Amino acid sequence: MSESDCLFCKIVAGEVPTDKVLENESALAFRDIDPAAPTHVLVIPKRHVASANELTPDDAAELAGMFQLIQGVAQQEGVAGGYRVVTNVGGPAGQSVLHLHFHVLGGRSLSWPPG
Ligand code: 5GP
Ligand code: ZN
């Protein structure tokens, strides 16, 4: 998939409206359109990366930026005491948007293992 066809690249570019929560230099956080928990925020790199399986050691600073944003989201949402960070990789794991995203889920008790 090219970046011009990518839904989350369009969100980064402001071409698709979204409910933004936070952003920093490398990452954007916005509410999932179909929330699975009271807090369900997606944290994505502003650069197109297909999945966590495409990350390399060169992406370390970008990845750290994403986790800084995740911590900020948890703080702002009032769930820092307990939340889940999930990323699906590939179709069998349920990845439906081929732009790396971390689901930040909280605000209810979360069972384990996930389905
Ligand atoms: P995945 O299934 O790839 O792990 O997660 C993709 C997530 O993106 C889903 O939870 C889905 O609800 C969310 N999503 C899909 N389209 C949109 C959209 O246009 N806007 C927002 N905010 N979330 C979306
Ligand atoms: Zn993209």
Side-chain angles (χ1 to χ4, degrees):
M1 178 186 286
S2 74
E3 292 179 32
S4 60
D5 295 328
C6 172
L7 172 63
F8 286 178
C9 282
K10 288 179 180 169
I11 285 177
V12 171
E15 294 166 8
V16 170
T18 193
D19 189 355
K20 188 173 88 175
V21 176
L22 279 177
E23 70 179 309
N24 63 20
E25 194 180 340
S26 58
L28 177 68
F30 55 94
R31 294 191 193 284
D32 197 291
I33 204 167
D34 184 19
T39 290
H40 188 173
V41 173
L42 301 175
V43 174
I44 70 171
K46 289 183 173 175
R47 177 178 70 97
H48 182 82
V49 180
S51 79
N53 202 47
E54 314 300 317
L55 290 167
T56 74
D58 288 344
D59 303 327
E62 185 180 40
L63 192 55
M66 280 188 268
F67 274 84
Q68 278 187 314
L69 210 57
I70 287 168
Q71 291 175 10
V73 167
Q75 184 77 31
Q76 188 168 302
E77 293 286 307
V79 300
Y83 63 99
R84 183 169 294 163
V85 180
V86 179
T87 188
N88 297 317
V89 179
Q95 186 179 8
S96 61
V97 179
L98 299 182
H99 180 130
L100 173 63
H101 48 282
F102 292 100
H103 297 258
V104 180
L105 297 150
R108 64 169 171 83
S109 59
L110 299 162
S111 60
W112 191 264

